[in-house]
Amino acid sequence: MALIVDKHRPRSLDTLTYHPDLTDRLRSLAQSGDFPHLLVYGPSGAGKKTRIVATLKELYGPGVEKIKIDARVFQTTSNRKLEFNIVASNYHLEITPSDVGTYDRVVVQDLLKEVAQTQQVDQSARQRFKVVVINEADHLTRDAQAALRRTMEKYSPNLRLILLANSTANIIAPIRSRTLLVRVAAPTHDEICQVLTVSAKREGWPALPVLHQRIAENSGRNLRRALLMYEAVHAQNEKVGDNTPIPPPDWEALIGHVAKEIMDEHTPARILQVRAKLYDLLTHCIPATTILRTLTFKLVALIDDDLKPEVIRWSAFYEHRIKTGTKVIFHLEAFVAKFMRVFEMYLMSMDM
């Protein structure tokens, strides 16, 4: 059974419900004879992927929805084999090179070169080029981005790239200058409420404006998260009203528990217990940066205002370490130890 976030996802530009100016802009790009490389950026849950899929349908027609998953093996210069999954149709490919870590340059170089050197299979296709959608483009290494830039220059007649990113800060300037930047802003609370109302009507659920507003506010303007929260409310309660509690995601509840454990005891034994829970979150595919940010917000809510700037400063420090390092558990554990030390020093200063 499909989740409503997938079941009710708009499939075309005409069915998108917010950012109408952006929808018109994407439609005009798709209908023009010169479709550019795109860099689409914005926060998680803003609808970047949905808009790009709808744009591809405008470019190629309904055939772009007939997708399959191909498992490919790439070989590094050190003869290491990389297994990599590609979502593909006859007209486009969707890849996430950051899945292979520091070897992403191999995937970008080999795969894009192969795609760019092949002609469009469907001779009746509206466009002669293929599109490659690259997820998490802001997580690509510098080497991979340099390879991407060379590919964009050399194979532009047969290939168009659509890069999806949360921010342009980590995208190198040569790529930004060769793409059309498209910002997808997070939906407002009212726009999220409108989407929830439409979903309720389709599912036969009662329209509850107060509940919709509460979910919109708790979602952090993340539409995907709002829909998942809305479905969780109906799955866990037989009768749903405006005051029905909104359950947090399991991983978020666990991080809240970890924050309380950190506050209760500041010992090496407690750090080991917390480490085990952090490992559990990582093995369930919760990104390390998400864990760190959520843990920081939970801890900040439990401490005095005087200490908050110091904790946030160290959180930013270890978030940078996570992004530039490899063993993320080391940096998460280091943040926990640093918080305990800073909190202990603060308590000692208060006792003096």
Side-chain angles (χ1 to χ4, degrees), residues 128-130 152-160:
R128 298 265 63 85
F129 54 81
K130 268 195 170 185
M152 293 167 70
E153 291 174 344
K154 190 173 181 180
Y155 300 110
S156 57
N158 293 341
L159 180 68
R160 294 293 185 278

Side-chain angles (χ1 to χ4, degrees), residues 274-332:
V274 168
R275 179 191 178 100
K277 291 183 171 65
L278 295 176
Y279 252 131
D280 190 33
L281 289 165
L282 290 171
T283 56
H284 283 80
C285 300
I286 307 299
T289 51
T290 301
I291 295 172
L292 180 61
R293 290 173 190 173
T294 307
L295 180 58
T296 301
F297 289 138
K298 298 290 186 184
L299 289 171
V300 163
L302 300 174
I303 61 178
D304 294 339
D305 290 343
D306 294 341
L307 191 57
K308 290 178 181 179
E310 181 77 359
V311 172
I312 292 171
R313 182 175 74 85
W314 282 110
S315 177
F317 174 82
Y318 285 108
E319 182 178 14
H320 177 70
R321 287 286 185 90
I322 286 172
K323 290 181 177 179
T324 56
T326 53
K327 296 288 187 180
V328 295
I329 187 64
F330 291 172
H331 308 303
L332 289 172

Side-chain angles (χ1 to χ4, degrees), residues 4 8 17-18 188-216 223 226-227 230-231 234 242:
I4 62 171
H8 300 165
T17 55
Y18 57 93
T188 64
H189 291 161
D190 289 341
E191 288 168 341
I192 291 176
C193 289
Q194 291 172 11
V195 173
L196 295 179
T197 301
V198 172
S199 292
K201 185 176 181 180
R202 291 182 180 178
E203 294 293 321
W205 296 336
L208 300 168
V210 175
L211 176 64
H212 295 172
Q213 184 66 31
R214 287 172 53 218
I215 290 175
L223 182 56
L227 287 167
Y230 193 35
E231 189 162 22
H234 282 274
D242 281 330

Side-chain angles (χ1 to χ4, degrees), residues 18-19 40-49 138 164-168 182-188 219-224 293:
Y18 57 93
H19 299 336
V40 183
Y41 66 99
S44 296
K48 300 186 294 293
K49 187 74 164 292
D138 48 339
L164 300 180
N166 289 341
S167 168
T168 62
V182 178
R183 180 175 178 267
V184 182
T188 64
S219 68
R221 295 177 65 189
N222 184 323
L223 182 56
R224 184 192 308 110
R293 290 173 190 173

Side-chain angles (χ1 to χ4, degrees), residues 126-185:
R126 300 176 185 175
Q127 307 291 342
R128 298 265 63 85
F129 54 81
K130 268 195 170 185
V131 171
V132 177
V133 179
I134 300 181
N135 297 316
E136 300 179 4
D138 48 339
H139 292 171
L140 292 174
T141 62
R142 292 279 169 160
D143 288 344
Q145 293 190 46
L148 201 59
R149 176 183 63 83
R150 290 191 294 270
T151 302
M152 293 167 70
E153 291 174 344
K154 190 173 181 180
Y155 300 110
S156 57
N158 293 341
L159 180 68
R160 294 293 185 278
L161 296 177
I162 299 179
L163 312 180
L164 300 180
N166 289 341
S167 168
T168 62
N170 294 327
I171 306 293
I172 61 175
I175 288 182
R176 293 201 303 268
S177 66
R178 287 165 172 79
T179 56
L180 176 64
L181 272 62
V182 178
R183 180 175 178 267
V184 182

